Amino acid sequence: MSGAKRMRWQPVAQGAAVTQLELFFDLVVVFALTKVTDLAAEDTSAVNMLRALLVLAVMWWVWIAYSWLGNVVRADEGLARVAMFTAMGAAFIAALTIPEAFHDLPGGWSGPLVFALAYLVARLVHLGMFWLASAQDAQLRAQVIRWGLGSITIGTALLVVAATTTGAVQIGLWIAAVVGDMAWTLFSGNGWRVNSAKHFSERYGLIVIVALGESIVSIGIGVAALPISWPITVGSLLGLAISGLLWWAYFDVAALSVEHALAAAAGERRIKIARNCYTYLHFPMIAGVIALSLGLKKVLYYVGDSSHHRLTDALHGIPLFALYGGVALFLIGLVGGKAYATGQVTVSRVVAIVVLLALIPPAAALPALAALAILCAVLLLLIVWETVRFAAPRDEIRHGEHHS
């Protein structure tokens, strides 16, 4: 590669790892996830849950755009470094504006419009960088043009229009923007590039850790102004255990199985695994963890604030559904991703999903702390069962020829 091209960008090599700049980029995502959780916790109505989900989807689309770019050109070299910092700035402004994404606060600029324009900047920078990176790759250049024409038009223009509206029309435009962008990306072709399966899988594993970290932060925020007590201690440890068990469910075998399938695949099959298992099926995982974070935040407030709640008070409604449904959604993403990549359906996890959803009605009649303990027990039983029942294949996946 010539010195001039090296100054502009540097291709990602097979076997490359995540760069430090990409980790730095994720700090903005950490902040965005916190703001989404705060938005959901502010008003636990169905409409506001939909708003929080839509905002999360938009921020997710920012993140996944740069996960693909960072697998084609090194994020910390040449123009890509400038693009990453520019995108960080735009994403950070969008995250700051999340509380105003639908309702403009008095004074200052229009919050919905600032959010939409910041999102537009992040997307245009990404598209411009992919355009440059595909200069010597006709297939990738055609894919970028095909995708960009529809995705930018649908995903960003509709949000700008939505910023000028309110109520049902505004939400409808948001839904059209998110669903339209995701659908266009799905059907716009398979001419993308995945240069390093290791980098790609590691990138998504790190964002799962970021999301799980948000669930732990939510525990602390839920009791930040309350004196320590045994209910807070027990509730906090149960919440931490649930986050840890979800980490185990993802990283112990499932993530490795999908990574191996991605590394072994070639051509369009590799692109489909990367897109379907990671870009799409990781979204319900992230959404599930955010829902769990909301539930944990409410549970810890219930058990810690004796001036407003008793220990016998039950968690009910949307917070309870978020607590159990969030974990179920995480497992659905895991089962779906592994099934698509490997053709194997993890029956024990399907059973766990059904059990969790079936437990929501009876859990509504139990004290919030008891409901949390039951959730933790179901996950613990699942992990223990899988670890013992599938000891041999688990050892092969973790320590077999893939790691020799």
Side-chain angles (χ1 to χ4, degrees):
M1 178 181 295
S2 68
K5 286 186 177 180
R6 184 175 294 275
M7 288 297 294
R8 295 175 67 188
W9 64 80
Q10 182 177 336
V12 170
Q14 183 179 2
V18 173
T19 64
Q20 296 298 319
L21 181 54
E22 288 171 295
L23 298 179
F24 189 47
F25 183 90
D26 287 353
L27 294 179
V28 173
V29 181
V30 172
F31 177 65
L33 295 182
T34 300
K35 299 300 288 184
V36 171
T37 304
D38 290 345
L39 176 64
E42 182 181 341
D43 172 17
T44 55
S45 66
V47 173
N48 197 55
M49 294 304 103
L50 177 58
R51 293 192 190 103
L53 179 62
L54 291 171
V55 171
L56 178 63
V58 168
M59 298 308 297
W60 172 252
W61 222 239
V62 171
W63 185 86
I64 67 99
Y66 287 88
S67 72
W68 283 83
L69 178 62
N71 200 264
V72 174
V73 295
R74 281 187 61 93
D76 58 350
E77 294 288 345
L79 285 177
R81 176 184 291 193
V82 177
M84 289 292 288
F85 277 113
T86 304
M88 280 183 67
F92 189 57
I93 296 302
L96 282 173
T97 322
I98 285 175
E100 297 185 75
F102 289 89
H103 299 295
D104 185 34
L105 296 178
W109 293 341
S110 167
L113 186 58
V114 170
F115 181 92
L117 292 177
Y119 178 59
L120 175 61
V121 170
R123 293 293 299 273
L124 288 177
V125 169
H126 167 262
L127 181 62
M129 195 61 218
F130 246 124
W131 172 267
L132 293 174
S134 62
Q136 305 300 320
D137 187 333
Q139 179 178 315
L140 181 58
R141 173 61 64 85
Q143 176 65 60
V144 169
I145 294 173
R146 191 165 54 245
W147 171 79
L149 287 175
S151 184
I152 296 297
T153 301
I154 297 170
T156 59
L158 288 178
L159 284 187
V160 174
V161 176
T164 66
T165 65
T166 58
V169 173
Q170 183 187 52
I171 291 179
L173 288 170
W174 269 74
I175 293 174
V178 170
V179 175
D181 202 352
M182 289 185 173
W184 184 269
T185 299
L186 179 63
F187 296 113
S188 64
N190 304 308
W192 298 104
R193 295 286 182 260
V194 176
N195 291 346
S196 171
K198 176 184 178 182
H199 173 277
F200 204 82
S201 59
E202 184 181 359
R203 197 78 189 88
Y204 282 78
L206 289 170
I207 201 63
V208 170
I209 291 179
V210 165
L212 290 174
E214 166 57 21
S215 70
I216 296 173
V217 170
S218 293
I219 297 172
I221 292 176
V223 295
L226 301 174
I228 192 68
S229 62
W230 78 261
I232 288 178
T233 301
V234 172
S236 298
L237 290 176
L238 285 172
L240 180 63
I242 290 169
S243 296
L245 289 167
L246 291 182
W247 176 93
W248 190 305
Y250 182 90
F251 287 101
D252 189 57
V253 169
L256 292 174
S257 298
V258 178
E259 180 184 348
H260 295 166
L262 179 66
E268 289 195 1
R269 175 60 180 167
R270 172 177 276 205
I271 300 305
K272 289 180 179 179
I273 291 175
R275 183 189 61 211
N276 298 343
C277 298
Y278 290 95
T279 294
Y280 286 104
L281 285 171
H282 270 63
F283 179 63
M285 295 185 212
I286 303 303
V289 175
I290 296 302
L292 169 66
S293 300
L294 171 62
L296 290 175
K297 193 173 184 178
K298 294 296 184 181
V299 169
L300 267 295
Y301 178 72
Y302 267 46
V303 303
D305 187 7
S306 58
S307 62
H308 293 86
H309 296 282
R310 296 174 298 175
L311 281 177
T312 55
D313 286 351
L315 191 68
H316 52 80
I318 287 178
L320 177 63
F321 187 81
L323 186 69
Y324 277 71
V327 173
L329 195 57
F330 185 91
L331 293 177
I332 288 171
L334 270 179
V335 171
K338 184 180 177 183
Y340 184 86
T342 68
Q344 301 173 351
V345 176
T346 310
V347 177
S348 57
R349 298 191 174 190
V350 175
V351 172
I353 292 166
V354 174
V355 169
L356 287 172
L357 295 178
L359 283 173
I360 294 177
L366 298 173
L369 196 59
L372 186 63
I374 290 173
L375 174 60
C376 184
V378 171
L379 280 177
L380 181 60
L381 286 173
L382 171 66
I383 295 304
V384 170
W385 163 260
E386 291 183 346
T387 302
V388 174
R389 176 68 178 79
F390 304 108
R394 172 179 177 271
D395 184 68
E396 173 62 25
I397 291 172
R398 290 180 56 81
H399 307 293
E401 60 181 11
H402 293 286
H403 296 274
S404 60

